[in-house]
Amino acid sequence: MANLSERTADELRELLDEYGIKHGPIVDSTRSLYEKKLREAMAKAKKPSSDKTYYREEEEEVVTYVTRTPVRAGPAGDSGAYMRSRPEWTEREYQNEASYSSYSRSTPDYRGRDYADDALLSDFRPYTYSTPTSYKSSHLKSPSLNYGDPKSSVASPAPKSSGFVPPWFQVIFFLVVLIFLYIVFSSMESNENIKGIE
Amino acid sequence: MSSTSQKHRNFVAEPMADKPVTALAGIGDVLGGRLEEKGFDKAYVVLGQFLVLKKDEELFLDWMKEACGANSKQAKDCANCLKEWCDSFL
């Protein structure tokens, strides 16, 4: 593999066409960019993986989601349990991303679902909200989205879309429901008494 | 119109003439300084680079990241700004 910077502009242009890289004229200001692209394409060609630009985007985007989900997954009644499972999940996501980086675009599809499966079993529903959206945005196929949705729609009553309901509101709502149930229960008791008298 | 900044709107409203590189949307003092060090001291020089990359957004984003360390948002804002300017004046 000859040194790219020693090659002529024509040779670079031919190589770019070979790798199917869209390019403009090779001038001083663009040369280093195209050399870098060619090096990446050559490195990628050695590995049996697909587009590396996608891979980089995946990493970027998933990283943002990893940092976001802890905020989103926060609001719930049993915050203690969430606390425990949250780092688990984010850790797993990180591992996911590390393993993703060495695989092609199609395989993360299935990997993601496997890991999301495990995440679902041990964690609570709100996590599945973030999983499908993160995979969706890193342009994987929709199956992961469908997979996530029915379960999340069944499970979570309070958070409608994504952690927009503040925690204090949920606590108050829970207390209101409790009080309501207590009132119902107490009124039922008095009904029974009336029935007994009759 | 609603998603563009004031800087963007100011830039695409008129021919860029000799405006400095910091007049471009997405380019502040820090990025502007780095570009100037590399010789891109005026907006039209960055325009030249954009045109030499055949107005391809992806290539331009890659170049911006390499040349001045711009992040995705900054580079995209700059690319959109130049693209719109070209649509009106080129």
Side-chain angles (χ1 to χ4, degrees):
Chain A
M1 202 63 66
N3 192 359
L4 286 175
S5 38
E6 286 170 12
R7 296 204 175 209
T8 67
D10 287 332
E11 287 173 345
L12 283 181
R13 211 175 305 132
E14 277 171 32
L15 280 170
L16 284 166
D17 289 334
E18 227 178 281
Y19 285 98
I21 299 169
K22 205 166 58 163
H23 65 95
I26 300 178
V27 290
D28 290 339
S29 54
T30 58
R31 195 186 169 105
S32 62
L33 176 71
Y34 292 135
E35 280 178 20
K36 188 173 148 206
K37 283 202 166 251
L38 275 174
R39 268 188 219 110
E40 285 169 10
M42 286 175 186
K44 181 203 78 178
K46 286 180 187 171
K47 281 190 199 179
S49 58
S50 67
D51 218 334
K52 246 201 171 190
T53 41
Y54 280 81
Y55 136 70
R56 239 186 287 134
E57 277 181 345
E58 239 180 86
E59 233 184 300
E60 264 180 27
E61 294 190 351
V62 174
V63 168
T64 25
Y65 273 94
V66 167
T67 52
R68 270 175 65 188
T69 40
V71 177
R72 267 203 259 158
D78 316 319
S79 51
Y82 277 96
M83 292 284 209
R84 200 175 14 94
S85 43
R86 198 194 307 153
E88 256 183 81
W89 189 84
T90 47
E91 248 180 79
R92 212 172 285 144
E93 265 302 303
Y94 265 111
Q95 287 168 8
N96 284 356
E97 302 342 307
S99 59
Y100 281 3
S101 43
S102 40
Y103 292 98
S104 68
R105 189 157 45 105
S106 47
T107 38
D109 216 348
Y110 300 99
R111 295 236 158 211
R113 287 169 75 183
D114 287 342
Y115 280 110
D117 236 328
D118 294 341
L120 226 206
L121 292 174
S122 56
D123 300 343
F124 291 87
R125 305 305 184 187
Y127 289 104
T128 59
Y129 266 116
S130 39
T131 330
T133 40
S134 66
Y135 293 141
K136 186 189 177 188
S137 62
S138 53
H139 32 261
L140 290 177
K141 320 256 165 49
S142 48
S144 39
L145 181 78
N146 294 336
Y147 152 77
D149 267 350
K151 298 198 181 183
S152 45
S153 59
V154 165
S156 50
K160 284 179 190 153
S161 46
S162 58
F164 281 77
V165 186
W168 58 266
F169 179 81
Q170 292 209 14
V171 170
I172 289 170
F173 178 78
F174 180 67
L175 286 172
V176 163
V177 167
L178 269 180
I179 291 166
F180 174 73
L181 286 172
Y182 179 76
I183 291 167
V184 166
F185 177 72
S186 54
S187 64
M188 278 166 73
E189 270 196 277
S190 52
N191 278 346
E192 281 174 16
N193 286 340
I194 292 168
K195 278 183 187 170
I197 289 170
E198 286 184 45
Chain B
M1 193 91 162
S2 54
S3 59
T4 55
S5 66
Q6 187 60 45
K7 215 173 168 189
H8 173 104
R9 292 194 284 273
N10 288 346
F11 192 84
V12 302
E14 56 182 2
M16 65 175 80
D18 265 345
K19 282 185 190 171
V21 73
T22 45
L24 284 162
I27 309 292
D29 291 330
V30 175
L31 293 181
R34 292 182 195 159
L35 283 171
E36 280 169 23
E37 278 172 29
K38 294 212 162 180
F40 296 87
D41 55 343
K42 295 285 183 189
Y44 62 73
V45 189
V46 180
L47 171 72
Q49 184 67 14
F50 181 65
L51 297 174
V52 145
L53 292 169
K54 297 183 116 173
K55 298 197 256 177
D56 181 68
E57 185 170 325
E58 199 190 313
L59 284 173
F60 185 73
L61 293 187
D62 286 341
W63 176 79
M64 277 286 280
K65 288 174 190 175
E66 200 200 328
C68 59
N71 63 32
S72 299
K73 187 190 186 297
Q74 291 164 325
K76 216 173 259 187
D77 288 343
C78 186
N80 286 336
C81 182
L82 287 170
K83 196 181 286 180
E84 215 175 296
W85 188 93
C86 287
D87 289 341
S88 305
F89 298 104
L90 200 59

